[in-house]
Amino acid sequence: MSSDFPLSHDALTELAKTYSTPFYLYDEKAIRDNLHYFQQAFSIFPAFREYFAVKALPNPYILRILESEDCGADCSSLPELILADKTKITGKRVMFTSNDTPAEEFRYAYERGNIINLDDITHIAFLKEALGGKLPDTICFRYNPGPLKEGGNAIIGKPEEAKYGLTREQILEAYRICKDEGVQHFGLHTMVASNELNPDFFVDTAHIIFDLVLELKEKVGVRIEFVDLGGGVGIPYREGQKKVDLEYVARHTRELYDRLIVPAGLDPLAIYFECGRPITGPYGWLITKAIHEKHIYREYIGVDASMADLMRPGMYGAYHELTVSGKEHAPKDHTYDVTGSLCENCDKFAVERRLPKIDMGDLLIIHDAGAHGRAMGFNYNGKLRAGELLLRSDGSVVQIRRPESIADYFATLDFDGLASFAV
């Protein structure tokens, strides 16, 4: 179920007078409290760290908040590495989990002492060449369990159909190679689903990884010092769905740890996650205004946001709860498609949704947009991406990213050269 929106109708109306819609709003206190819950649940392990998936919400103000709570950063590109660096998330508090990675990005991560998590066995030689004939002292590999792990979903797909990670046989060989190359410290990573709500899914994943940790010790003589169990923890976008009980996940994973890891002499083994969605997802909202109505074969409400601001409904058919500000308790006696202005029929935030009567100028609140929302924005049709606001813990609101301008959109074009361009 969507988290309660933190502002009254009057407060939101005043905010929309200062910052034109559409805009994103994030709740600092709720994000902090939610991270504390995550960290407390896994405090039963000898060592634990959450590496926030920067791709979910790549804003330096949000990262600075998370850094102050001892959170790490999981990065997948050079700009994300730079964001972590600029927000004081440094060294081994950064996990560089990338794929098809350019050499210069590996070099950047290495020079800053970040943990490099390799996606393929061929990347060992690629990384060695990129670093001038040497490997880092710490290496991690991403494991793809293939059909061993049942499940998967539309976002990542079945593990055996996903482009990520090494097979079991490749994993064993990869650690042998790195051990022979003099690598001293090893980690193991996997990520096999996205937006999963079944807590047993994550316990099962931990079991698979712990078994592989034991096999690596027995067959390769490598001690794994940390396991990154990935992300994939979902949030309840729809009414009736339940939030993942992280205490349950931690407790049952600890039982596996005590049964498998401790007797093998591999304690302490650090446990990491790289979640984004469950940290910030429920505590971000896209605010948009109703500006058009259309009455044809269906009833349509056109808003000033579009799929360019929030692409999940159009890309995945994802559901986001939608509230009409000030009409939260009004009867839902109208059926609407709520649409944006892209020249694509999939540009819909809601399809045949039962809602209160919407009048022009009403503010609509699109819930659970605090992860993979603004981050996935784009400029198709010349659309300009929305700005971002932060509701501080003291109740004040600050702009943490301005909206894009037309000048931003044209910034990479050379109009001066157009006059001499021969056609």
Side-chain angles (χ1 to χ4, degrees), residues 3-190:
S3 299
D4 291 337
F5 187 66
L7 297 181
S8 68
H9 171 64
D10 289 343
L12 180 60
T13 300
E14 287 302 310
L15 195 63
K17 293 178 181 177
T18 304
Y19 303 98
S20 60
T21 55
F23 58 77
Y24 276 87
L25 177 70
Y26 309 111
D27 186 340
E28 176 185 358
K29 183 179 185 303
I31 290 171
R32 287 186 186 272
D33 290 347
N34 198 37
L35 178 60
H36 294 164
Y37 163 66
F38 200 119
Q39 292 169 327
Q40 180 61 37
F42 287 90
S43 64
I44 60 176
F45 289 92
F48 172 77
R49 171 159 282 145
E50 152 66 358
Y51 285 78
F52 180 73
V54 176
K55 64 179 177 288
L57 183 48
N59 187 293
Y61 291 82
I62 300 298
L63 295 181
R64 189 68 186 87
I65 289 168
L66 298 176
E67 186 280 330
S68 73
E69 301 289 353
D70 198 35
C71 195
D74 181 82
C75 301
S76 57
S77 68
L78 180 56
E80 289 184 358
L81 289 169
I82 293 171
L83 273 174
D85 210 25
K86 286 185 175 293
T87 52
K88 301 182 180 180
I89 306 177
T90 59
K92 288 184 169 47
R93 287 178 66 188
V94 175
M95 183 80 66
F96 187 38
T97 303
S98 58
N99 63 93
D100 297 328
T101 309
E104 62 268 22
E105 299 192 7
F106 278 137
R107 284 193 289 269
Y108 186 96
Y110 172 75
E111 289 165 1
R112 282 151 186 80
N114 305 150
I115 299 172
I116 294 177
N117 182 22
L118 295 180
D119 189 60
D120 190 70
I121 191 169
T122 64
H123 295 174
I124 300 171
F126 185 89
L127 177 62
K128 183 177 178 180
E129 181 179 357
L131 301 184
K134 58 186 175 183
L135 290 173
D137 66 348
T138 300
I139 284 283
C140 185
F141 286 100
R142 179 171 183 161
Y143 174 49
N144 183 332
L148 181 64
K149 179 64 176 175
E150 296 181 357
N153 53 37
I155 298 178
I156 289 184
K158 296 179 180 179
E160 65 268 31
E161 297 174 358
K163 69 173 183 175
Y164 308 107
L166 290 75
T167 68
R168 177 182 160 278
E169 292 75 15
Q170 290 174 336
I171 278 277
L172 297 175
E173 181 61 21
Y175 284 100
R176 286 191 188 98
I177 293 170
C178 289
K179 180 184 176 184
D180 291 343
E181 289 281 352
V183 176
Q184 298 295 310
H185 305 285
F186 296 95
L188 177 61
H189 167 273
T190 195

